[in-house]
Amino acid sequence: MKKYILTAGLISLGLMSCTQSETKTETAENPDGTVTTTTVETTKSTSLDSAQVTTTVEKAKEKLNVAGAKIDSAATKAGIGLKKAGEKVKDAAARGAEKVEQGAEKAKDNLKTR
């Protein structure tokens, strides 16, 4: 889960650091015959709004917390189920051992009476 958060963070940092600059040079001739050169630089950023990134990260954390809670719940239920199954197996083994002992005693008695 941490890998996904780190990956999302790195991608968002990469997007925030990307900018694009464009320089335009305009030449205009004045009425008195002089030439005026104007340079206009525009910068475009492909970055995401930091509030949007924060919101997305918070939503991802919430979803991860919900998923973690579901996993914990399933593990707890599985643990309870395994404990019950273990108790049933233990009881069945005890009954089986008792039957084996009874069968052994009967066989022993049968051998003594012959």
Side-chain angles (χ1 to χ4, degrees):
M1 286 188 247
K2 290 181 182 180
K3 290 181 184 179
Y4 295 117
I5 293 172
L6 290 175
T7 303
L10 290 174
I11 289 172
S12 64
L13 285 174
L15 289 174
M16 284 190 272
S17 65
C18 296
T19 58
Q20 180 180 8
S21 296
E22 184 178 339
T23 305
K24 290 183 182 180
T25 305
E26 297 177 359
T27 305
E29 188 173 335
N30 295 326
D32 62 356
T34 59
V35 178
T36 304
T37 304
T38 307
T39 303
V40 178
E41 184 174 338
T42 56
T43 304
K44 295 180 183 177
S45 177
T46 59
S47 67
L48 298 174
D49 182 18
S50 62
Q52 182 181 6
V53 171
T54 303
T55 303
T56 304
V57 169
E58 290 300 321
K59 286 180 183 177
K61 284 181 183 178
E62 288 174 17
K63 288 181 181 179
L64 289 173
N65 287 339
V66 169
K70 286 181 180 179
I71 290 171
D72 289 343
S73 174
T76 302
K77 288 179 183 177
I80 292 170
L82 289 174
K83 185 176 179 182
K84 287 181 181 178
E87 290 172 0
K88 288 180 181 179
V89 168
K90 184 178 174 183
D91 291 342
R95 283 181 281 176
E98 187 178 320
K99 288 182 181 180
V100 168
E101 287 176 6
Q102 289 173 355
E105 284 181 27
K106 285 181 183 178
K108 188 176 178 182
D109 289 342
N110 288 339
L111 290 174
K112 283 184 182 179
T113 58
R114 287 189 181 185

